[in-house]
Amino acid sequence: MFDIRGLGAVVTGSSRGIGKAIAEALAAQGANVVISSRKQGACDEAAAQINARGGGRAFAVAAGIGERSAVETLIAQAQTLVGKVDILVCNAATNPFYGSMRDISDAQFEKVLRNNVLSTHWLAQLVAPGMIERRDGAIIIISSIGGYRGSASIGAYNISKAADFQLARNLAIELGPHNVRVNCVAPGLIRTDFARALWEDPDNLARALTGTPLGRIGEPDDIAGTVAFLASPAARYITGQTIVVDGGNTIAPLGL
């Protein structure tokens, strides 16, 4: 039911943090995984660590997700390395601005939307034909519980994460007749470098934990397990959904 041995996977933003944990989990279950982020050295290091553990093989392909040509090259190389892309995990994202939406520049807002939404659209476009031909595939978008909330400091990021939910729903409608599943995972506050500005502040962390029933910050492996499930045959009747993984934070009356 959870067997993904021999399947090919691409995980963007996977040289560290949540993306790396996802790549490790998929490889541990037997998938062959393409590690991708902006810097080749970081990708090489992450792939070597996975290969040292055994399981599925890992390959390193550096790519910036902000340019369609780079995304096209990534998928073309991935298909050469792993044969076919059965699992696509769109994890890479950016947030270049903290502050009021009154102060964000057009360039910053456009970068958020391009990297967090448009790049996922490109990636899905590129892998969909092969998945449709094989009548099988899983696309998983890493979003955020921020997509359910307004924010005085990360508004543009949250807007892009809300767009992820709808992109998954729309892709699920279009690709469902071909047995291709598309889902989102919405993490809460996770201990990563990307979210360091949120959890490193003791007061902010205390507020988050006050409103989190499980009483702890999330770890990257907490997200990786959910992605491994969605990528597997165990999730074969799940599509167009957003699975929240936040320790219960969004159900509580307090917190972030």
Side-chain angles (χ1 to χ4, degrees):
M1 185 176 288
F2 298 96
D3 187 7
I4 56 173
R5 285 175 294 180
L7 298 186
V10 173
V11 184
T12 64
S14 50
S15 63
R16 62 179 182 170
I18 290 173
K20 184 180 179 184
I22 290 169
E24 290 171 340
L26 295 177
Q29 295 299 110
N32 297 313
V33 183
V34 174
I35 304 292
S36 185
S37 67
R38 290 183 296 109
K39 298 180 179 179
Q40 186 66 45
C43 294
D44 290 337
E45 183 178 351
Q49 291 171 357
I50 290 173
N51 289 329
R53 295 188 178 99
R57 296 288 297 166
F59 305 89
V61 179
I65 58 169
E67 297 296 332
R68 185 180 177 101
S69 59
V71 172
E72 290 173 344
T73 299
L74 166 62
I75 297 303
Q77 291 188 21
Q79 290 167 337
T80 298
L81 291 167
V82 300
K84 52 188 172 60
V85 179
D86 303 291
I87 302 162
L88 170 66
V89 183
C90 301
N91 169 72
T94 191
N95 184 37
F97 179 81
Y98 286 85
S100 168
M101 292 290 292
R102 296 190 305 272
D103 300 321
I104 191 171
S105 69
D106 287 351
Q108 289 169 321
F109 201 176
E110 287 172 357
K111 182 176 182 178
V112 170
L113 296 177
R114 187 179 186 86
N115 288 4
N116 298 4
V117 184
L118 188 56
S119 69
T120 299
H121 165 67
W122 292 335
L123 287 160
Q125 273 189 326
L126 292 165
V127 303
M131 292 180 174
I132 290 170
E133 182 179 355
R134 295 187 297 274
R135 290 195 57 79
D136 195 20
I139 298 172
I140 301 152
I141 303 168
I142 307 303
S143 184
S144 168
I145 61 170
Y148 290 116
R149 294 170 165 168
S151 171
S153 59
I154 55 171
Y157 178 79
N158 285 2
I159 289 167
S160 73
K161 297 290 103 176
D164 285 340
F165 303 158
Q166 184 58 27
L167 182 57
R169 287 189 287 260
N170 222 77
L171 288 172
I173 291 289
E174 294 185 17
L175 299 178
H178 306 285
N179 198 42
V180 177
R181 300 175 291 105
V182 187
N183 292 288
C184 272
V185 176
L189 183 56
I190 307 297
R191 196 187 311 276
T192 63
D193 287 340
F194 185 81
R196 183 176 296 276
L198 296 176
W199 59 261
E200 198 168 43
D201 181 327
D203 293 336
N204 197 59
L205 180 59
R207 286 199 308 275
L209 295 183
T210 297
T212 302
L214 289 184
R216 66 173 177 85
I217 189 174
E219 303 293 341
D221 283 346
D222 294 324
I223 308 305
T226 303
V227 173
F229 161 67
L230 287 173
S232 77
R236 61 184 174 267
Y237 201 54
I238 301 175
T239 196
Q241 304 304 307
T242 296
I243 298 181
V244 173
V245 186
D246 69 345
N249 183 270
T250 52
I251 66 164
L254 301 172
L256 290 176

